Amino acid sequence: MTVSVVVPQLDRADLLAALLRSVAAQRLPPGADTEVIVVDNGSRDASVDVARASGALAVTLGSNRGVGFALNRGIERASGEWVALLNNDVELSEGWLAALLAGARAAGAWFATGRVLDATRRDRLDGAGDAVCRGGAAWRLGHGKPDGPAFGRPAATFFPSATASLFRREFFARAGLFDEAFFAYLEDVDLGMRAAALGLGGAYVPGAVCWHLGSATAGAWSDRSVAWITRHQLLLVAKHYSEAMLLRFGPQLLVAQLLWAGLAVSRGRSMAWLRGFGLGLADWRARWRPGARPGEGALVAALLSSERQIEAFQRAAGWDAYWNWYFRLARSDRGGPA
């Protein structure tokens, strides 16, 4: 059995070298091996040399074509029955891959994601799986919270994270590859929405631990990241929400997007938000179509379940301002606070 490890790369050869060392140190189950594919988006440093020196296949794109594009080229080159997707700023525990393989098989899951800890504060979470609210905003469950028992229970999910996840190769044959219109950020949420509509469920495996530096390439709260996230939230809704869903979840959409705008403005990124919003509206005009979506009922059920996960984790670990206001202002289908 072969596991193909795909890493999109742009500069920061030092991070890539550390990741590849942790991949090489994996304790694999009997009969398993790995192939490593590094897809370089036009790095200006020694990234390609580092990849080749480690024994990885280096696919060079020559220029920055985006995260989704790079991931797709790596998946296309993958020969394994399983495909692991990893950011370059991740460090894996030695048992990460074996735990995900065991967890995915035990759950009969199409993909598996593990417990991601903050590389700079290792007692805190970067995320215990991903979740998406009805308003189209995504959250890494437990992000920034102290690690603890609440995040140590296996769970089902429909939203894989491209930060560090393992997929059956057949998953991509059924759900498709990443939508390359998502240059960076939320490309994995789009994939998860498609998976939800198709019933391709995944597993959260808390015993699979890794550490994530986060925003090492684009920068946290940079103009680029704010513009991309703003644009891509609107693109998600345009692709996946029918008229019926827009009517049903309209209040949540409005609340989620206004709160995101407020966060961007509070971080001094008002112009980046405006730029992203304008691009998102253009995407909406180009991509939204009337009529029901295939698998719409399954997607609605997944969003409702995912939002309940967000609320449960917020209650257990303490409220972030964004989600505190979202759940105060967004109304549930039951007529009360979500």
Side-chain angles (χ1 to χ4, degrees):
M1 178 192 66
T2 298
V3 178
S4 301
V5 178
V6 175
V7 183
Q9 172 66 11
L10 177 62
D11 298 327
R12 295 304 303 266
D14 56 327
L15 295 177
L16 177 64
L19 167 63
L20 295 178
R21 286 194 295 270
S22 74
V23 171
Q26 290 298 292
R27 297 194 302 266
L28 300 174
D33 62 3
T34 60
E35 65 172 5
V36 182
I37 304 166
V38 176
V39 185
D40 188 79
N41 254 328
S43 294
R44 295 160 294 179
D45 62 6
S47 292
V48 173
D49 293 334
V50 166
R52 288 174 174 158
S54 76
L57 169 66
V59 178
T60 57
L61 301 180
S63 62
N64 189 0
R65 307 291 297 276
V67 174
F69 186 94
L71 287 169
N72 287 347
R73 303 294 80 76
I75 294 166
E76 288 169 349
R77 299 293 290 269
S79 64
E81 303 97 301
W82 295 85
V83 180
L85 305 182
L86 293 170
N87 280 10
N88 67 349
D89 57 351
V90 167
E91 176 190 349
L92 307 177
S93 65
E94 291 183 354
W96 180 83
L97 184 52
L100 287 186
L101 282 168
R105 286 168 167 164
W110 285 92
F111 64 89
T113 188
R115 180 156 35 179
V116 184
L117 299 174
D118 189 326
T120 62
R121 299 182 298 171
R122 295 199 167 203
D123 61 337
R124 291 185 176 267
L125 281 161
D126 183 77
D130 284 5
V132 184
C133 73
R134 292 168 292 165
W139 184 52
R140 294 194 297 273
L141 291 166
H143 180 70
K145 307 297 184 185
D147 191 16
F151 307 107
R153 292 186 287 271
T157 179
F158 280 109
F159 296 101
S161 170
T163 298
S165 289
L166 178 70
F167 300 79
R168 295 181 187 270
R169 184 68 180 82
E170 181 66 17
F171 173 91
F172 297 104
R174 293 177 179 246
L177 296 175
F178 289 93
D179 184 341
E180 294 169 10
F182 292 82
F183 189 87
Y185 295 101
L186 305 185
E187 72 285 339
D188 46 5
V189 176
D190 171 69
L191 183 66
M193 286 189 171
R194 284 185 273 140
L198 291 166
L200 303 178
Y204 167 62
V205 182
V209 176
C210 67
W211 297 270
H212 183 216
L213 189 59
S215 299
T217 299
W221 287 103
S222 67
D223 282 345
R224 289 186 302 170
S225 63
V226 169
W228 282 329
I229 292 170
T230 303
R231 177 182 190 172
H232 295 163
Q233 286 185 139
L234 294 176
L235 180 55
L236 280 174
V237 176
K239 284 189 64 177
H240 298 287
Y241 282 49
S242 65
E243 293 119 317
M245 290 178 68
L246 290 174
L247 287 171
R248 182 175 178 180
F249 297 151
Q252 291 79 27
L253 285 164
L254 181 62
V255 167
Q257 299 310 313
L258 287 176
L259 287 173
W260 169 248
L263 269 181
V265 170
S266 73
R267 300 283 183 144
R269 295 293 183 263
S270 56
M271 295 306 297
W273 179 85
L274 282 170
R275 183 165 62 254
F277 187 74
L279 292 170
L281 288 179
D283 289 335
W284 185 290
R285 288 192 292 270
R287 300 290 291 267
W288 191 82
R289 296 291 183 270
R293 304 293 192 268
E296 183 175 319
L299 175 58
V300 167
L303 289 172
L304 290 169
S305 174
S306 185
E307 185 167 297
R308 286 192 293 269
Q309 276 189 306
I310 296 173
E311 183 180 18
F313 277 108
Q314 285 285 308
R315 289 188 184 280
W319 287 96
D320 295 315
Y322 179 95
W323 292 113
N324 187 19
W325 281 108
Y326 177 82
F327 285 105
R328 284 174 180 267
L329 297 171
R331 310 302 292 181
S332 77
D333 288 349
R334 299 183 301 275

Coordinates of all heavy atoms in Angstrom, one line a residue, residues 6-7 27 36 48 62 66-67 103 128-129 131 134 146 149 155 162 171 198 223 225 252 265-266 269 271 311 317 327:
V6 N 1.3 15.0 -0.8 CA 1.3 16.1 -1.7 C 1.5 17.4 -0.9 O 0.7 17.7 0.0 CB 0.0 16.2 -2.6 CG1 0.0 17.4 -3.5 CG2 -0.1 14.9 -3.4
V7 N 2.5 18.2 -1.3 CA 2.8 19.4 -0.6 C 2.9 20.6 -1.6 O 3.7 20.6 -2.4 CB 4.1 19.3 0.2 CG1 4.4 20.6 1.0 CG2 4.2 18.1 1.1
R27 N 6.1 6.4 11.4 CA 6.1 5.0 11.7 C 4.9 4.4 10.9 O 3.7 4.6 11.3 CB 5.9 4.8 13.2 CG 7.1 5.3 14.0 CD 7.0 4.7 15.5 NE 5.7 5.1 16.1 CZ 5.5 6.2 16.9 NH1 6.6 7.0 17.1 NH2 4.4 6.4 17.4
V36 N 6.5 11.1 -2.1 CA 6.3 12.5 -1.7 C 6.4 13.3 -3.0 O 7.3 13.2 -3.8 CB 7.3 13.0 -0.7 CG1 7.1 14.4 -0.3 CG2 7.3 12.1 0.6
V48 N 13.0 23.9 -4.4 CA 13.1 22.7 -5.3 C 14.3 21.8 -5.0 O 14.1 20.6 -5.0 CB 13.1 23.2 -6.8 CG1 13.3 22.0 -7.8 CG2 11.8 23.9 -7.1
G62 N 6.7 27.1 -12.2 CA 7.3 28.3 -12.7 C 6.8 29.6 -12.2 O 7.5 30.6 -12.2
G66 N -1.5 29.3 -7.5 CA -2.5 29.2 -6.5 C -2.5 27.8 -5.8 O -1.9 26.9 -6.3
V67 N -3.1 27.8 -4.6 CA -3.0 26.5 -3.8 C -3.8 25.4 -4.5 O -3.3 24.3 -4.6 CB -3.6 26.8 -2.4 CG1 -3.7 25.5 -1.6 CG2 -2.7 27.8 -1.7
G103 N -7.8 5.2 11.7 CA -9.0 5.9 12.0 C -10.0 5.9 10.8 O -11.2 5.7 11.0
A128 N -9.3 21.3 15.6 CA -9.8 19.9 15.8 C -10.8 19.6 14.7 O -11.9 19.2 15.0 CB -10.3 19.8 17.2
G129 N -10.4 19.7 13.5 CA -11.3 19.6 12.4 C -11.9 20.9 12.0 O -11.8 21.9 12.7
A131 N -15.2 23.2 10.4 CA -16.7 23.3 10.4 C -17.1 24.6 9.7 O -16.4 25.5 9.6 CB -17.2 23.3 11.9
R134 N -24.1 28.1 8.7 CA -25.1 28.3 7.6 C -24.8 29.6 6.9 O -25.2 29.8 5.7 CB -26.5 28.4 8.2 CG -27.0 27.0 8.7 CD -28.2 27.2 9.5 NE -28.0 27.9 10.8 CZ -28.9 28.5 11.6 NH1 -30.2 28.4 11.2 NH2 -28.6 29.1 12.7
P146 N -7.1 26.3 24.6 CA -6.2 25.3 25.2 C -6.6 23.9 24.9 O -7.8 23.6 24.9 CB -6.4 25.6 26.7 CG -6.8 27.0 26.8 CD -7.7 27.2 25.6
P149 N -9.7 17.7 27.0 CA -10.6 16.5 26.7 C -11.7 16.8 25.7 O -12.1 15.8 25.0 CB -11.2 16.2 28.1 CG -10.2 16.7 29.1 CD -9.7 18.0 28.4
A155 N -14.9 12.0 15.9 CA -16.1 12.6 15.5 C -16.2 12.5 14.0 O -15.2 12.3 13.3 CB -16.3 14.1 15.9
A162 N -7.2 21.2 4.1 CA -6.0 20.9 3.3 C -4.7 21.2 4.0 O -3.6 21.0 3.5 CB -6.1 21.8 2.0
F171 N -11.8 9.2 -3.4 CA -12.6 10.4 -3.0 C -12.5 11.4 -4.1 O -13.6 12.0 -4.5 CB -12.0 11.0 -1.7 CG -12.5 12.3 -1.3 CD1 -13.6 12.4 -0.5 CD2 -12.0 13.5 -1.8 CE1 -14.2 13.6 -0.1 CE2 -12.5 14.7 -1.4 CZ -13.6 14.7 -0.5
L198 N -22.6 14.8 -1.7 CA -22.4 13.4 -2.2 C -22.5 12.4 -1.1 O -22.4 11.2 -1.4 CB -21.1 13.3 -3.0 CG -21.0 14.1 -4.3 CD1 -19.6 14.1 -4.8 CD2 -21.9 13.5 -5.3
D223 N -3.3 41.9 3.6 CA -4.3 42.3 2.6 C -4.7 41.2 1.7 O -5.9 41.1 1.4 CB -3.7 43.5 1.8 CG -3.6 44.8 2.6 OD1 -4.3 44.9 3.6 OD2 -2.9 45.7 2.1
S225 N -4.7 37.9 2.2 CA -5.5 36.9 2.8 C -6.9 37.4 3.1 O -7.9 36.6 2.9 CB -4.9 36.4 4.1 OG -4.8 37.4 5.1
Q252 N -28.6 34.3 8.4 CA -27.3 33.8 8.8 C -26.2 34.3 7.9 O -25.1 34.7 8.3 CB -27.3 32.3 8.9 CG -28.2 31.8 10.1 CD -29.6 31.7 9.7 OE1 -30.0 31.6 8.6 NE2 -30.5 31.8 10.7
V265 N -12.3 45.3 9.1 CA -12.1 46.8 9.4 C -11.3 47.0 10.7 O -10.5 47.8 10.8 CB -13.5 47.4 9.4 CG1 -13.3 48.9 9.9 CG2 -14.1 47.4 8.0
S266 N -11.7 46.2 11.7 CA -11.0 46.3 13.0 C -9.5 46.0 13.0 O -8.7 46.5 13.8 CB -11.7 45.4 14.1 OG -11.4 44.1 13.9
R269 N -8.0 46.5 7.7 CA -8.0 45.9 6.3 C -9.3 46.2 5.6 O -9.8 45.4 4.8 CB -7.8 44.3 6.4 CG -6.5 43.9 7.0 CD -5.3 44.3 6.0 NE -4.0 43.9 6.5 CZ -3.2 44.7 7.2 NH1 -3.5 45.9 7.4 NH2 -2.0 44.2 7.6
M271 N -9.8 48.3 3.1 CA -9.7 48.3 1.6 C -9.5 46.9 1.0 O -10.0 46.6 -0.1 CB -8.5 49.2 1.2 CG -8.6 50.6 1.6 SD -10.2 51.4 0.9 CE -9.9 51.2 -0.8
E311 N -21.0 25.6 17.8 CA -21.6 26.1 19.0 C -21.2 25.3 20.2 O -20.9 25.9 21.3 CB -23.1 26.2 18.9 CG -23.8 26.8 20.2 CD -25.3 26.8 20.1 OE1 -25.9 26.0 19.2 OE2 -26.0 27.5 20.8
A317 N -15.3 25.6 25.4 CA -13.9 26.2 25.5 C -13.9 27.7 25.7 O -12.8 28.3 25.9 CB -13.1 25.8 24.3
F327 N -24.0 33.8 17.0 CA -25.1 33.0 17.6 C -26.1 33.8 18.4 O -27.2 33.4 18.6 CB -24.5 31.9 18.5 CG -23.9 30.7 17.8 CD1 -22.5 30.6 17.7 CD2 -24.7 29.8 17.1 CE1 -22.0 29.5 16.9 CE2 -24.2 28.8 16.4 CZ -22.8 28.6 16.3

